[in-house]
């Protein structure tokens, strides 16, 4: 028996997310006393694959097939369930990101395996198999029992620590017989920025709300973000107004993130906004209104005018961090 | 072509989470029920497509697994502009069971595509859309931020890290939608509310299905320690706390 973990790569490289998943899989496997198999789909070189071993994979199954270059949910489901069966996996772990959300539920039906999605910590028990997840968009948590032979878990990003191990993983190539005709979703064009720090990957996020008053006032938010190596974000009205791009909107109907630090400037802290950021380790609020609800969610707060506080904060960071 | 929109009936997004029976059951007293926000946006897009002369969409049907208590929510969808509705009569307790029940009805229907939301705002499963696709053995695209229909041809835009891609796909398929599918949900107009009363709401019996999960108990978050307030004349203190206490910088 094994725990199988699906590790995504980005142009042949793994990210912190992939190592988080493997670390998590290792701990789940310890509880069950079984080994960890990591599955990698796509062109990834041997040195990079071996890194999965450093976080606890015993074996790496690598699949390179031209037809798997873009994500076709149906075909990925077929391939991953083949590997699940071949490796006799009893627990299958994916990220709770766009890819995981697209394929984990399909795998659940294909393998008749209960799905525990958006998990934020290790299963509290393995018999009955009980997982812990956010519900009501972060307003509560649930203990959910998974009643099936195979279990599928999706792990929320940034909610598990990296644990390195001195494992030496073996690498095995696996080939599947996917044909071009199996792909029913044809990607006809791609429009993407490379090299930009993604909001979901950022350790620090600087975010502006309607209190910034206009798109012309974003200079200090961007400058502070740059100094801190942070990504920028915003509240929903800000992206609705077109002050900032839609990818930046955080909250219940935007991105759900869990950085180490979230700096909310001119954001009132509506419940739907908090739904996207409440898992941040630290929240800083800068708001002119002492009664703004954001201060109930924040760890550190300053009541003041953003247009005055931000430039001061920027010069302090410049003085102290360079 | 016909579009189906799956509707979840969920507590209003500002509802306080409260539980009864020793924290094992969600307390529904005083709860306002709404269309799951993603489904409301999906429905809005579906109706726009129906109104678009270049598209062959001619009918929008909403479908829900729920008890009679979900009917006001379904009526609201009809008032917004859906043509008809199907309610599968069962308590929606488990994503796998809900998807199986939806599939059991949809397998006999003719449609261009089915729209589901990426997640419901109560149990946050992010599950039903993908499960339904697999039960029906149909292609699915998730993280869909836009749908275009030109005559009989359908393309969707999918969010990827750092951008988006356009995907061409043959009907029938399942679109699992998220941010961008439409910006503002439509609200019912007076005329729509009047008409909704006469639109068909068909109730069908649910098929027998297994449940794979059980929400055993709930917990509320630990209260946060109060926010440390920093003197606006002393911004340096914020930096020091972040550096020495939070150990972030
Ligand atoms: C179904 C649904 C889903 C939603 N989803 C989301 C979501 O995903 N994300 C989201 O963000 N919202 C969402 N909303 C909207 C949400 O309810 C709030 O309206 C929104 O978050 C408010 O944005 P804001 O804080 O930027 O603006 P406001 O609420 O207008 O707050 C602006 C703040 O700026 C402060 N301010 C003003 N001037 C200054 C100054 N000079 N310096 C410092 N502070 C200043 C004010 O005191 C105020 O607190 C949703 C709503 C609904 C109904
Ligand atoms: N009881 C239900 N009836 C119909 N559709 C549902 C139901 N529950 C969830 N859905 C659909 O599945 C999506 C994702 O829900 P979930 O998997 O519960 O997070 C929702 O946005 C709806 O489109």
């Amino acid at each position: 028996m094994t725990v199988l973990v699906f590790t995504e790569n980005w142009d042949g490289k793994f990210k912190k997310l992939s190592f988080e998943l493997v670390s998590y899989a290792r701990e789940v496997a310890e509880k069950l006393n079984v080994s960890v198999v990591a599955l990698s789909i796509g062109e990834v070189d041997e040195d990079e694959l071996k890194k999965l071993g450093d976080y606890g994979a015993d074996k790496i199954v690598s699949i390179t097939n031209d037809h798997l270059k873009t994500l076709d949910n149906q075909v990925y489901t077929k391939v991953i369930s083949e590997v699940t069966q071949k490796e006799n996996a009893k627990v299958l772990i994916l990220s709770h990101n766009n890819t995981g959300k697209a394929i984990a539920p399909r795998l659940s039906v294909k393998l008749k395996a209960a799905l525990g999605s958006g998990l934020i910590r290790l299963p509290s028990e393995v018999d009955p198999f009980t997982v812990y997840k956010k519900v009501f968009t972060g307003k509560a948590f649930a203990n959910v029992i998974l009643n099936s032979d195979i279990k599928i878990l999706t792990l929320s990003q940034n909610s598990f620590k990296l644990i390195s191990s001195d494992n030496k993983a073996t690498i095995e190539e696996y080939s599947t017989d996917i044909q071009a005709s199996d792909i029913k979703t044809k990607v006809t064009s791609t429009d993407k920025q490379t090299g930009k720090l993604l909001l979901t990957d950022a350790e620090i996020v600087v975010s502006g709300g309607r209190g910034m008053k206009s798109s012309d006032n974003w200079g200090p938010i961007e400058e502070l973000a740059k100094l801190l190596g942070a990504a920028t974000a915003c509240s929903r009205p800000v992206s609705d107004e077109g002050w900032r791009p839609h990818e930046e909107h955080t909250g219940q109907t935007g991105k759900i993130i869990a950085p180490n630090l979230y700096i909310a400037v001119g954001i009132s802290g509506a419940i739907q906004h908090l739904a996207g950021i409440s898992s941040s380790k630290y929240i800083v609020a800068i708001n002119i209104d002492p009664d703004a609800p954001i201060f109930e969610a924040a760890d550190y707060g300053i009541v003041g005018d953003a247009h005055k506080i931000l430039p001061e904060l920027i010069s302090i960071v410049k003085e102290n961090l360079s | 072509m016909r579009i189906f929109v799956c509707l979840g009936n969920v507590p209003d997004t500002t509802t306080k989470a409260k539980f009864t029976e020793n924290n094992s059951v969600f307390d529904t007293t005083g709860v306002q029920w709404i269309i799951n926000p993603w489904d409301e946006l999906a429905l809005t897009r579906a109706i726009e497509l129906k109104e678009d002369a270049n598209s062959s969409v001619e009918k929008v049907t909403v479908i829900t697994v729920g008890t009679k208590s979900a009917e006001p929510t379904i009526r609201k969808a009809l008032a917004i502009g859906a043509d008809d509705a199907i309610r599968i009569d069962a308590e929606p307790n488990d994503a796998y069971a809900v998807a199986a029940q939806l599939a059991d009805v949809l397998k006999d229907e003719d449609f261009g595509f089915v729209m589901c939301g990426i997640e419901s705002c109560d149990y946050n499963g992010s599950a039903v859309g993908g499960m339904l696709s697999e039960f029906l053995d149909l292609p699915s695209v998730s993280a869909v931020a836009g749908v275009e229909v030109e005559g009989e041809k359908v393309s969707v835009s999918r969010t990827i890290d750092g951008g988006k891609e356009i995907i061409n796909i043959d009907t029938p398929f399942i679109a699992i939608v998220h941010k961008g599918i439409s910006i503002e949900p439509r609200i019912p107009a007076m005329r729509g509310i009047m008409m909704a009363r006469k639109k068909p709401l068909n109730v069908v019996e649910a098929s027998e299905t297994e449940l794979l999960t059980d929400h055993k108990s709930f917990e509320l978050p630990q209260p946060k320690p109060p926010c440390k307030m920093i003197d606006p004349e002393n911004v340096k203190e914020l930096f020091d706390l972040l550096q020495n206490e939070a150990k972030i910088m």
Side-chain angles (χ1 to χ4, degrees):
Chain A
M1 282 208 292
T2 61
V3 168
L4 180 69
V5 51
F6 171 68
T7 55
E8 220 174 323
N9 68 82
W10 287 261
D11 302 319
K13 295 280 175 247
F14 295 117
K15 288 205 263 203
K16 185 173 155 240
L17 163 74
S18 324
F19 304 133
E20 254 169 39
L21 284 170
V22 179
S23 304
Y24 184 82
R26 174 86 248 160
E27 299 279 297
V28 174
E30 301 283 334
K31 281 179 176 268
L32 295 165
N33 223 339
V34 300
S35 63
V36 176
V37 179
L39 168 63
S40 163
I41 295 181
E43 226 39 85
V44 181
D45 67 32
E46 201 179 307
D47 284 344
E48 188 70 13
L49 282 175
K50 279 194 174 143
K51 290 184 186 164
L52 300 174
D54 300 341
Y55 294 94
D58 299 298
K59 173 172 161 185
I60 294 150
V61 174
S62 166
I63 302 177
T64 45
N65 179 316
D66 277 352
H67 304 305
L68 299 174
K69 280 209 163 113
T70 58
L71 174 66
D72 180 280
N73 298 341
Q74 223 170 357
V75 164
Y76 265 62
T77 299
K78 180 167 177 286
V79 171
I80 298 174
S81 62
E82 264 171 40
V83 177
T84 306
Q85 266 145 6
K86 180 175 98 69
E87 298 298 331
N88 190 20
K90 290 299 167 205
V91 179
L92 176 54
I93 296 172
L94 301 93
S95 174
H96 194 59
N97 64 359
N98 283 341
T99 309
K101 288 181 202 174
I103 48 187
R106 294 199 70 128
L107 284 161
S108 163
V109 171
K110 184 132 193 135
L111 298 164
K112 201 164 185 209
L115 171 64
S117 59
L119 307 187
I120 52 172
R121 56 161 94 136
L122 286 170
S124 51
E125 269 179 75
V126 291
D127 190 19
F129 204 94
T130 311
V131 296
Y132 190 78
K133 63 170 293 188
K134 277 208 271 187
V135 288
F136 295 92
T137 46
K139 286 181 283 188
F141 303 95
N143 291 295
V144 184
I145 300 180
L146 306 183
N147 290 312
S148 54
D149 179 28
I150 301 175
K151 286 96 184 165
I152 302 178
L153 318 181
T154 66
L155 178 68
S156 293
Q157 224 171 313
N158 243 333
S159 53
F160 200 72
K161 56 190 184 301
L162 301 185
I163 305 173
S164 42
S165 83
D166 45 18
N167 257 33
K168 289 279 164 284
T170 56
I171 300 177
E172 182 185 301
E173 303 282 336
Y174 177 73
S175 60
T176 69
D177 59 350
I178 297 300
Q179 310 295 320
S181 58
D182 294 325
I183 310 289
K184 303 286 191 269
T185 53
K186 301 257 182 318
V187 174
T188 56
S189 72
T190 305
D191 170 11
K192 94 175 186 193
Q193 259 186 305
T194 46
K196 195 179 167 219
L197 176 60
L198 295 174
L199 188 46
T200 40
D201 291 339
E203 308 263 330
I204 302 181
V205 173
V206 185
S207 184
R210 196 145 57 184
M212 295 305 293
K213 302 286 179 348
S214 124
S215 61
D216 303 335
N217 297 334
W218 243 264
I221 299 248
E222 289 189 317
E223 189 178 356
L224 181 61
K226 197 157 176 230
L227 287 168
L228 298 175
T232 51
C234 67
S235 66
R236 181 163 107 172
V238 166
S239 67
D240 285 354
E241 291 285 344
W243 296 355
R244 297 298 296 175
H246 281 292
E247 310 82 84
E248 287 198 356
H249 150 204
T250 51
Q252 184 179 338
T253 48
K255 290 215 164 71
I256 296 179
I257 55 172
N260 292 335
L261 175 62
Y262 184 79
I263 305 179
V265 190
I267 292 176
S268 60
I271 189 106
Q272 298 94 350
H273 186 79
L274 298 180
I277 59 132
S278 60
S279 300
S280 308
K281 303 226 163 58
Y282 286 92
I283 297 175
V284 168
I286 300 172
N287 197 301
I288 207 158
D289 173 8
D291 296 324
I294 187 75
F295 290 118
E296 281 158 42
D299 300 280
Y300 305 117
I302 301 187
V303 176
D305 183 347
H307 308 297
K308 186 173 155 284
I309 308 286
L310 276 181
E312 280 182 41
L313 188 56
I314 287 167
S315 59
I316 292 166
V317 171
K318 274 189 186 154
E319 270 166 44
N320 292 275
L321 277 191
S322 49
Chain B
M1 91 177 49
R2 186 178 187 190
I3 302 178
F4 277 88
V5 179
C6 293
L7 286 194
N9 176 42
V10 296
D12 176 66
T13 53
T14 57
T15 307
K16 271 220 155 57
K18 284 181 297 173
F19 303 94
T20 57
E21 294 178 38
N22 207 7
N23 279 333
S24 66
V25 178
F26 174 61
D27 182 357
T28 56
T29 30
V31 168
Q32 286 269 32
W33 296 87
I34 61 166
I35 304 173
N36 188 43
W38 297 118
D39 307 342
E40 199 179 19
L41 294 171
L43 175 63
T44 301
R45 184 64 191 142
I47 294 166
E48 282 169 8
L49 289 170
K50 191 182 92 167
E51 288 165 356
D52 181 352
N54 289 325
S55 100
S56 61
V57 175
E58 46 199 21
K59 188 168 185 185
V60 176
T61 303
V62 292
I63 181 164
T64 298
V65 176
T67 58
K68 189 153 180 55
S69 65
E71 288 196 358
T73 298
I74 299 172
R75 285 279 171 216
K76 184 177 172 200
L78 293 171
I80 291 171
D83 297 291
D84 59 353
I86 300 173
R87 178 170 71 81
I88 302 172
D89 191 26
E91 193 81 61
N93 284 330
D94 170 67
Y96 184 89
V98 166
Q101 285 157 341
L102 288 169
D104 206 46
V105 172
L106 289 170
K107 70 179 191 322
D108 302 322
E109 299 286 347
D110 190 23
F111 53 82
F113 54 97
V114 178
M115 296 170 97
C116 291
I118 190 71
E119 115 176 336
S120 52
C121 69
D122 48 8
Y123 298 104
N124 305 147
S126 293
V128 171
M131 288 177 173
L132 172 64
S133 321
E134 193 65 27
F135 274 122
L136 293 173
D137 199 19
L138 287 179
S140 61
V141 186
S142 184
V144 168
V147 184
E148 299 298 332
V149 183
E150 286 264 336
E152 296 286 335
K153 275 209 160 59
V154 186
S155 68
V156 299
S157 103
R158 166 166 73 185
T159 306
I160 52 171
D161 288 336
K164 62 172 184 180
E165 49 193 24
I166 305 296
I167 294 173
N168 283 353
I169 183 168
D170 289 337
T171 57
F173 73 100
I174 316 290
I176 299 155
V177 309
H178 77 160
K179 184 177 163 59
I181 187 67
S182 58
I183 302 298
E184 277 292 321
R186 259 199 213 191
I187 39 179
M190 204 48 186
R191 202 175 107 82
I193 297 170
M194 303 289 288
M195 281 171 40
R197 287 196 212 131
K198 298 198 201 78
K199 287 180 178 171
L201 194 171
N202 301 306
V203 180
V204 301
E205 232 177 272
S207 51
E208 281 287 324
T209 47
E210 259 177 273
L211 311 187
L212 295 189
T213 58
D214 173 17
H215 284 71
K216 188 181 68 166
S217 64
F218 297 93
E219 287 168 26
L220 293 174
Q222 295 294 325
K224 249 194 145 157
C227 181
K228 272 196 189 158
M229 298 308 289
I230 291 145
D231 182 354
E233 301 303 321
N234 187 10
V235 178
K236 176 75 173 31
E237 192 193 337
L238 172 64
F239 183 84
D240 293 341
L241 283 167
L242 288 174
Q243 198 162 43
N244 303 323
E245 193 177 80
K247 305 210 183 309
I248 283 175
M249 308 218 159

